[in-house]
Amino acid sequence: MDKKNIIIGFVGMTHLGLVSAICAAEKGFFVYCFDDNKDHIDNLTSMNLDINEPDLKKLLDKNYRNMKFTNNLNDLNDLDIIYVAPDIPTNDQGESNLDTIDEYLEKLLPLDKHQKVTVILSQVPPGFTRNYEKKFSNLFYQVETLIFGDAVNRSLKPERYIIGTNNPNNKLNTKYENFLLSYGCPILKMKYESAELAKISINMFLVSSVTTANLISELCEKIDADFTEIIPTLKLDKRIGEYAYLNPGLGISGGNLERDLETFSRLANINSTDYKVVKSWIDNSKNRKKWPIKILNEKILINHTNLKISIFGLSYKINTHSVKNSPSIELIKKLENCDIEIYDPIINEIKIKNKLYKTINSFDEETIFGDVIIVMNQSKEFYKINDSNKLDLVKYFIDPFKVIDDKKIVTSKKYFTLGKS
């Protein structure tokens, strides 16, 4: 395949579009990157990124000459494939705002006279792509593989491509198929609606694993069982498997999983199918997000006042700026009258309930070690706690993810984690 004969474009330079574009350039294709926001394009032209993903800046520097950043729609006229890939924001109810992708698709319609391939990469609800089917010559929906904090790896090494098309029996456009084949993974063709629901289905199975792990770990905390001892037994069961998501956590966050649960519930309600278990998953997630404040109130603050509380991590997971539905934010809202310090290696400041919090970005035990340490994600920086000789400054540890080696904590200290009493 001569990759020089396939010119790719990505529309929408937010997280999904930008990562996908840079990774396409890494695969050897020339890539056009379009966004309405001129300031955003100017920033990217200067090789500045406003998102954090491991290795993304390195790949941009490496492939910059194979990329053109533009806010001129006419630059997309002669492309072979255009991906429409803006991030889809959600509100607090998990509902998607589709205004941006609708606007981009309408702007691209005049370019369709060239019979190019248009691919919707943003996650959209079932039925969305079908509404545009007759407006575009070659329209496809492709399930995105983005995972915050692991986006580059997932984009370069996808497990499979799920492609929605108006007729799964028809061959794909040759250039589009060759572009997909360059990633070396299976290509699954299906109806638009099946592909749109497939993305939701994948996330629902993930949520079922997350929720099951949380349910079991919560019971472990009450009956003196240890969930870390149970996990290997589940990994060795072929019906569950070594790659199953079995680590207990603080519910589901980030917006995408919540959106899929709400979308499924809405569609099930409209079509009179059962979704009670999905509502239970949502309720369980809300309950587990309360775990740190529950431990703090019931086990610590009930016996002490005027404690300095150090919170490690604002984002809901490592290697991302995203704080969408983050348990850490919910915790801080409950502690607005307490003496708190926030340590986060990526995020500099955050406004919560109209109060601006400045964070500490470097590991300095004298500053970040309070009377109570609460670890809210698994950033590799936080593991430095285990090498500190100042652990005796800390009275209590709330560590849901087992970042801290509790064997290094003297027996008089109080250590709390998920899945263990």
Side-chain angles (χ1 to χ4, degrees):
M1 180 202 341
D2 187 355
K3 294 181 179 180
K4 293 182 180 178
N5 289 332
I6 304 177
I7 310 299
I8 315 291
F10 286 85
V11 173
M13 287 295 99
T14 42
H15 213 118
L16 174 62
L18 183 57
V19 171
S20 301
I22 292 174
C23 289
E26 170 67 11
K27 285 291 184 179
F29 298 92
F30 193 90
V31 180
Y32 282 76
C33 304
F34 174 86
D35 196 282
D36 273 338
N37 189 319
K38 184 179 183 301
D39 291 338
H40 192 35
I41 290 298
D42 289 344
N43 198 35
L44 291 171
T45 302
S46 301
M47 302 176 69
N48 295 318
L49 295 176
D50 59 2
I51 64 172
N52 181 77
E53 284 288 347
D55 297 326
L56 189 63
K57 183 61 166 67
K58 180 176 69 176
L59 290 185
L60 175 62
D61 294 345
K62 175 184 175 184
N63 296 288
Y64 183 75
R65 292 185 178 181
N66 285 331
M67 305 182 74
K68 178 179 175 62
F69 295 99
T70 179
N71 66 326
N72 184 348
L73 203 62
N74 291 327
D75 286 340
L76 308 183
N77 263 321
D78 299 321
L79 307 188
D80 299 300
I81 306 166
I82 294 181
Y83 276 94
V84 190
D87 292 348
I88 304 296
T90 58
N91 61 21
D92 292 339
Q93 286 72 49
E95 299 167 332
S96 297
N97 184 334
L98 302 171
D99 290 348
T100 300
I101 191 169
D102 278 324
E103 291 170 4
Y104 276 139
L105 286 167
E106 292 297 330
K107 288 180 179 181
L108 290 172
L109 278 175
L111 277 61
D112 193 56
K113 60 187 177 183
H114 299 281
Q115 303 287 302
K116 59 176 55 65
V117 170
T118 304
V119 184
I120 295 174
L121 187 60
S122 307
Q123 187 176 348
V124 294
F128 180 90
T129 308
R130 184 72 67 182
N131 289 333
Y132 283 94
E133 174 192 4
K134 294 181 179 178
K135 296 183 179 182
F136 288 88
S137 303
N138 295 295
L139 181 65
F140 299 92
Y141 171 73
Q142 181 175 320
V143 173
E144 50 91 355
T145 60
L146 185 73
I147 294 180
F148 286 166
D150 193 31
V152 169
N153 180 56
R154 293 277 296 178
S155 187
L156 289 174
K157 301 175 183 177
E159 297 146 315
R160 70 282 184 256
Y161 278 135
I162 302 169
I163 308 299
T165 174
N166 64 343
N167 188 343
N169 295 319
N170 291 344
K171 290 193 66 176
L172 292 176
N173 170 278
T174 301
K175 288 189 174 182
Y176 180 38
E177 183 175 39
N178 285 338
F179 174 65
L180 297 175
L181 287 171
S182 70
Y183 286 80
C185 66
I187 300 172
L188 307 177
K189 293 189 300 179
M190 59 192 69
K191 292 164 54 178
Y192 292 135
E193 293 81 2
S194 299
E196 290 162 337
L197 187 57
K199 174 61 176 177
I200 294 174
S201 304
I202 292 165
N203 282 344
M204 286 179 65
F205 271 85
L206 172 61
V207 169
S208 69
S209 294
V210 171
T211 308
T212 299
N214 283 338
L215 287 168
I216 298 170
S217 67
E218 185 175 13
L219 182 60
C220 287
E221 295 159 24
K222 304 295 184 182
I223 66 170
D224 201 25
D226 186 342
F227 192 55
T228 59
E229 296 173 340
I230 296 172
I231 289 177
T233 71
L234 301 174
K235 296 279 189 181
L236 291 172
D237 192 311
K238 291 183 179 180
R239 297 165 298 176
I240 303 169
E242 60 179 310
Y243 300 112
Y245 195 100
L246 294 171
N247 294 317
L250 300 176
I252 55 174
S253 301
N256 292 340
L257 296 180
E258 296 96 323
R259 170 181 58 201
D260 288 344
L261 298 183
E262 292 296 342
T263 299
F264 185 90
S265 298
R266 177 179 56 81
L267 290 172
N269 183 51
I270 291 172
N271 292 280
S272 300
T273 63
D274 184 39
Y275 60 100
K276 290 190 292 293
V277 68
V278 179
K279 288 299 183 185
S280 296
W281 294 345
I282 296 171
D283 291 341
N284 177 266
S285 175
K286 292 176 180 177
N287 177 58
R288 286 314 261 174
K289 284 183 181 179
K290 299 174 184 176
W291 183 83
I293 191 65
K294 184 177 180 182
I295 293 295
L296 192 60
N297 285 332
E298 295 180 1
K299 306 291 186 179
I300 301 173
L301 296 182
I302 193 172
N303 298 316
H304 300 278
T305 58
N306 300 321
L307 292 178
K308 178 184 175 183
I309 300 170
S310 299
I311 298 173
F312 282 44
L314 280 172
S315 59
Y316 77 96
K317 62 184 294 188
I318 63 171
N319 296 327
T320 178
H321 285 87
S322 177
V323 296
K324 180 77 173 182
N325 297 339
S326 169
S328 189
I329 304 302
E330 295 305 310
L331 172 64
I332 294 169
K333 288 178 181 177
K334 305 291 186 184
L335 299 176
E336 58 182 330
N337 296 320
C338 297
D339 178 15
I340 67 171
E341 291 280 6
I342 304 171
Y343 170 45
D344 192 287
I346 296 177
I347 301 172
N348 295 319
E349 62 181 31
I350 192 165
K351 182 175 285 188
I352 302 174
K353 295 178 70 173
N354 294 319
K355 181 177 180 180
L356 184 66
Y357 293 88
K358 298 283 188 179
T359 67
I360 300 168
N361 299 125
S362 59
F363 192 88
D364 178 358
E365 296 109 314
E366 297 289 351
T367 306
I368 64 177
F369 276 27
D371 300 300
V372 184
I373 284 181
I374 308 178
V375 182
M376 295 300 287
N377 67 41
Q378 295 164 282
S379 170
K380 64 180 181 180
E381 294 294 312
F382 301 163
Y383 287 86
K384 293 179 180 178
I385 297 173
N386 295 307
D387 299 323
S388 172
N389 59 6
K390 297 183 180 296
L391 285 177
D392 58 343
L393 297 175
V394 184
K395 296 183 174 69
Y396 296 95
F397 300 86
I398 300 177
D399 179 24
F401 305 107
K402 301 179 178 64
V403 169
I404 302 168
D405 183 357
D406 60 339
K407 296 182 180 63
K408 293 187 176 183
I409 300 171
V410 296
T411 55
S412 61
K413 306 287 182 179
K414 291 291 186 178
Y415 176 83
F416 304 94
T417 191
L418 289 171
K420 189 175 180 180
S421 58

